[in-house]
Structure formats: C-alpha cells, structure tokens
Amino acid sequence: MDNENVIEIKNLTAGFDGRTVLYDISLEVKRNEIFVILGSSGGGKTTLLKHIIGLLRPEKGSISIFGKNTLEMEVDEFESILKRIGMLFQGGALLNSMEVWENIAIPLEQHTDLENEVIHRIIRQKLSLVNLRDAYYLLPSELSGGMKKRVSLARAIVMDPEILFFDEPTAGLDPITSADLDKLILDLKKKLGITLVIVTHELESIKRIADRIIYLQKGKNIFCGTIEEAKKAGIEEIDRFFGWNKD
C-alpha cells in the first residue's frame, strides 16, 4: 500500500559534544514517495539522514523503518534492515582501482551467496536500468560526473532495495545532466516502486521530483508537506529559499 509509512521518526533530538543540532524532529515517509530533506547550510539535513540510516545515534526519540524501531535492535536485526535499503553518497564513493562492474558487485559479494554468472547478469540488468550498458568494463576515471552518479545509483539498487537514500545526488552536475538524473530517479520510482529519501538544495531538482518536503531551520522542523502547501504556508525562510518573495 502506497499510503503505508515505511519510515517514522518521533521526537528525534540529536547533538555532538553537548551541542544540539536536531530538535524534536517528527516525520513520516510513505511507501513509493520521493521525500526531500531541505534547509539552509548547517541546518541538519545530512545529520538527519545519517541518523535514519544508523550512522549516528540520537540523544532522544525513536526511528522506525518498516514498522520496527531500529534503535532497539540487535546488530543482526539491524543488518537485515540495511539489506532492504540503498545509499547513494554525495561523491559517489566508487573505488578507482575497480572497473564499473566490480564496484557494483560489492554488495552482492558481501551479502549474498550468488554464483558469478548470476551476479554478472544482475549487474548488466542494473546498468541497463541506468542507461549505462556499455560502461561494464570501464574504470571510474573514464567516466563523466553524470556517469559516475549513475554507476553509484546502479550499485545502490543492485540488492533491489525498498528504500533509497541520496545525499545531494545532483551536486556538481550541469543543468542538463542534473535533469537527466532526475528523470532517471522518477523512472526508477515508477518501474521499481522504490521509496526515495533525498537531501538536496538544488531548486529545479526539488521542483521536478519531490512528492513532499521537510524544511529544517537550525535543526528544527519548520514545515513538512507538499511544495504547493509550502507555497501557501507563508513561511519567510521557505519563501526566500524558493524565491517566492521576489515581489
């Protein structure tokens, strides 16, 4: 059911070295939606993302994925959750000494007992999905910035995740390449039924792909809803962000 919450965060408070960076954050992400985390620089966007995927642990609150509180899980149980999610890091995180197919194979080799023939077939399928059929044996140094993002995306979906997390997927890309990547993200959502959680500050990308947004201001949730709802909310910080107060 698309109306089902796959992520639920309640009263999340987090900080470092005695300094609070997230204040009482609550949100839900629904199945098969694109949920975008927005905010000013230093507002807590990437910090929130890292808490959701378990890289950081909050001071207070709860984080549930697929209806289970991940903060109460044993390591083995949490690893089973991690196998159902994918992550595309800001820089792509490709290993330069490995060919494209070897980079994409890493999750399959670490988490499955599949035979090599099956692994290669899956990799070719994922490269086809991101329109990079001919990049199989290339090295990362032979790829453009947009191609590297797509290879990283192929690796992120190689385990058929139910949720994908992105940290600035279009950062550093030219407008045409960014638009192509956004179209690919929308196509994958439609074809694979994946839920996407994306941190970005790229205005055009947000307008193209977001089903709902959350806006963080100095670690506080000042809005959560659709872009149309945000436009009607009359919140000065959000109006400035989108450029709606030019008149």
Side-chain angles (χ1 to χ4, degrees):
M1 293 176 58
D2 287 354
N3 205 36
E4 173 193 358
N5 291 334
V6 292
I7 299 173
E8 293 184 3
I9 296 175
K10 295 180 180 178
N11 309 118
L12 182 73
T13 297
F16 309 100
D17 302 322
R19 181 174 65 91
T20 302
V21 295
L22 295 173
Y23 297 84
D24 199 33
I25 303 293
S26 294
L27 62 87
E28 297 94 26
V29 178
K30 300 184 182 303
R31 185 174 296 279
N32 197 32
E33 80 167 337
I34 298 179
F35 187 88
V36 179
I37 302 172
L38 307 177
S40 56
S41 179
K45 303 183 298 295
T46 299
T47 300
L48 176 58
L49 187 70
K50 288 180 177 179
H51 277 85
I52 297 173
I53 63 177
L55 293 178
L56 297 173
R57 193 170 183 86
E59 297 170 358
K60 299 177 183 176
S62 65
I63 301 170
S64 294
I65 302 179
F66 306 122
K68 298 180 179 180
N69 189 340
T70 59
L71 300 178
E72 297 177 350
M73 290 181 177
E74 299 293 333
V75 174
D76 289 348
E77 187 179 6
F78 186 62
E79 286 182 353
S80 70
I81 293 290
L82 290 178
K83 290 178 183 178
R84 300 170 65 184
I85 68 177
M87 179 73 201
L88 195 156
F89 297 96
Q90 184 172 341
L94 298 178
L95 299 177
N96 292 325
S97 61
M98 291 184 171
E99 294 177 349
V100 162
W101 77 267
E102 293 174 301
N103 270 281
I104 299 172
I106 291 172
L108 294 172
E109 292 173 345
Q110 288 182 340
H111 301 295
T112 75
D113 297 319
L114 295 173
E115 297 179 357
N116 286 338
E117 180 182 348
V118 177
I119 288 176
H120 284 278
R121 188 162 65 242
I122 292 171
I123 293 169
R124 291 189 186 281
Q125 178 193 41
K126 302 309 180 188
L127 281 173
S128 179
L129 278 173
V130 300
N131 303 318
L132 279 178
R133 298 176 186 84
D134 298 328
Y136 200 83
Y137 294 110
L138 297 181
L139 289 167
S141 60
E142 299 175 279
L143 305 175
S144 67
M147 292 171 73
K148 288 178 182 178
K149 295 277 187 173
R150 284 187 279 160
V151 171
S152 298
L153 181 53
R155 183 175 60 191
I157 63 173
V158 77
M159 295 280 290
D160 295 322
E162 296 169 58
I163 305 174
L164 270 180
F165 295 92
F166 293 75
D167 189 7
E168 300 284 3
T170 57
L173 301 181
D174 63 80
I176 294 175
T177 305
S178 295
D180 287 343
L181 186 60
D182 286 339
K183 183 179 182 300
L184 179 57
I185 287 171
L186 290 168
D187 286 344
L188 290 176
K189 175 197 168 186
K190 182 178 179 180
K191 291 176 182 177
L192 305 179
I194 295 176
T195 302
L196 300 107
V197 179
I198 301 174
V199 169
T200 186
H201 67 278
E202 303 286 345
L203 286 178
E204 293 306 314
S205 180
I206 295 161
K207 294 172 184 176
R208 281 191 291 260
I209 67 175
D211 291 314
R212 288 191 304 130
I213 64 173
I214 185 172
Y215 196 97
L216 301 180
Q217 182 181 28
K218 296 181 179 178
K220 297 178 181 179
N221 172 13
I222 64 170
F223 175 82
C224 188
T226 66
I227 291 179
E228 282 304 309
E229 289 168 343
K231 197 168 186 178
K232 297 174 183 177
I235 300 172
E236 182 180 357
E237 174 83 8
I238 297 176
D239 289 345
R240 285 205 310 270
F241 182 88
F242 282 100
W244 290 330
N245 60 341
K246 291 180 180 178
D247 54 354

